[in-house]
Amino acid sequence: MFKKLLLAAALACGAAHAATNPLFAPLYTADPAVLVDGGRVYLFTGRDEAQPGGKDFVMHEWRVFSSCDMVTWQDHGVPLNVKTFAWAKARAWASDIVKRDGKYWFYSTVEHATVPGFAIGVAVSDSPTGPFKDARGSALITNDMTTQTDIAWDDIDPGVFLDDDGQAYLYWGNTVLKYAKLKPNMTELDGPIQVLPVKDFVEAPYLHKRKVGGKAMYYLSYSEFFPEQTAYLTGPSPTGPWTPRGVIMAKNLKTPTIHQAIFDFNGRSYIAYHNAELPGGGEYRRSVAIEEFEYREDGTMPFIPQTKT
Ligand code: FUB
């Protein structure tokens, strides 16, 4: 039924070819970030370049694809890569994007060239398909700014959220979930870094908001445990107080990471994530997929099964 509906939408949109899960073959892609803008969904991904049997992530660039129907995806190529950040040396890991004042702000994980460990940079463009340029000339978050954990990768996985009142927030972290306000210029923190104690939190914090019964409901989703599954909290504001709501997507046995983005488009709700269901896939050769779901009447999210190949 879902496929038939999508096909109808695709034809209305002038489909070139239909895509099914997992998306974007033959590329291996991971860590989806989503922006809905101008009647299109822009889906940003990292690109897994590890060889078969590789033992670590090999990721140099981010890709962007767009769709007006959730079926046909246009490949816009590589809007930025690690070299966009002159202060970074490697590892184009997870990212997130938001539009503000007509500009597109892309927050991303990279390995810092001189400060040991990972860092978060911010790039800006006049178009969602780039090109993006470094918006600061230096990292927004570096590993030496926060000392809650002694691991080099606790400052990864930015999730950016712009609230209706104009206040922007950045959420990030591995093992410890951190957040901070952003200044209106989107390139500086506004106030101290806060730590949010979330049991079994691993990484990939992501904030989205909906109206439920006339009131704003904020959803803070994240990866928990390792291998990872996706869980979420809800609250009445971007800073809580938070109520744990349980698991919305189970781990996939082919890869221990999952990394979600949750969004609405044309009146329907979707979750983007990655698994490793493309032929030849694995822990370091992942593939982005999307599932449609419906919120319950009380605003809570259902458990969403992954498409299996
Ligand atoms: O893609 C590299 C890392 O794996 C991301 O930063 C995490 O979210 C996990 O997906």
Side-chain angles (χ1 to χ4, degrees), residues 161 163 169 171 207 216-220 234-242:
F161 174 74
D163 210 347
Y169 299 82
Y171 304 77
L207 196 89
M217 188 180 263
Y218 294 80
Y219 300 73
L220 181 51
T234 62
S237 84
T239 57
W242 298 107

Side-chain angles (χ1 to χ4, degrees), residues 22-29 47-48 65 75 278-279 285-287:
L23 303 172
F24 313 136
L27 295 177
Y28 294 103
T29 56
R47 183 176 167 216
D48 276 342
F65 306 84
D75 184 348
L278 267 187
R285 290 157 68 83
R286 300 164 292 177
S287 37

Side-chain angles (χ1 to χ4, degrees), residues 127-150:
S127 160
T129 55
F132 285 81
K133 61 176 193 220
D134 189 351
R136 283 175 52 98
S138 63
L140 172 62
I141 308 285
T142 51
N143 190 39
D144 61 351
M145 286 169 65
T146 56
T147 53
Q148 287 87 3
T149 70
D150 58 3

Side-chain angles (χ1 to χ4, degrees), residues 6-230:
L6 288 181
L7 187 59
L11 292 173
C13 238
H17 61 89
T20 51
N21 281 333
L23 303 172
F24 313 136
L27 295 177
Y28 294 103
T29 56
D31 303 325
V34 173
L35 175 80
V36 175
D37 186 49
R40 296 188 76 80
V41 174
Y42 292 89
L43 179 50
F44 294 78
T45 74
R47 183 176 167 216
D48 276 342
E49 295 180 68
Q51 293 303 305
K55 299 279 181 247
D56 195 2
F57 295 116
V58 180
M59 304 179 79
H60 302 294
E61 64 190 25
W62 295 274
R63 315 276 308 198
V64 60
F65 306 84
S66 78
S67 177
C68 67
D69 57 22
M70 300 300 292
V71 177
T72 54
W73 290 91
Q74 189 177 343
D75 184 348
H76 299 280
V78 180
L80 74 167
N81 60 34
V82 167
K83 289 185 183 155
T84 303
F85 302 106
W87 46 268
K89 71 172 178 191
R91 296 187 187 262
W93 282 17
S95 64
D96 199 13
I97 183 160
V98 73
K99 182 181 184 182
R100 178 172 205 154
D101 300 333
K103 290 194 182 294
Y104 300 84
W105 302 91
F106 186 88
Y107 296 80
S108 46
T109 312
V110 279
E111 187 175 356
H112 204 287
T114 54
V115 181
F118 285 80
I120 293 173
V122 51
V124 65
S125 175
D126 292 328
S127 160
T129 55
F132 285 81
K133 61 176 193 220
D134 189 351
R136 283 175 52 98
S138 63
L140 172 62
I141 308 285
T142 51
N143 190 39
D144 61 351
M145 286 169 65
T146 56
T147 53
Q148 287 87 3
T149 70
D150 58 3
I151 56 175
W153 58 94
D154 62 325
D155 292 295
I156 66 168
D157 288 10
V160 62
F161 174 74
L162 178 59
D163 210 347
D164 297 328
D165 64 2
Q167 179 62 60
Y169 299 82
L170 192 71
Y171 304 77
W172 73 96
N174 178 294
T175 310
V176 177
L177 200 169
K178 305 165 195 176
Y179 67 93
K181 287 183 177 172
L182 288 166
K183 290 186 180 171
N185 64 17
M186 301 300 273
T187 61
E188 293 173 90
L189 299 188
D190 193 359
I193 294 170
Q194 309 283 348
V195 170
L196 182 64
V198 175
K199 196 170 164 293
D200 304 318
F201 170 82
V202 175
E203 59 189 2
Y206 182 86
L207 196 89
H208 73 283
K209 174 188 183 180
R210 295 174 67 241
K211 275 249 163 85
V212 179
K215 283 192 185 155
M217 188 180 263
Y218 294 80
Y219 300 73
L220 181 51
S221 52
Y222 57 94
S223 300
E224 67 173 10
F225 298 120
F226 198 82
E228 297 172 350
Q229 57 189 17
T230 309

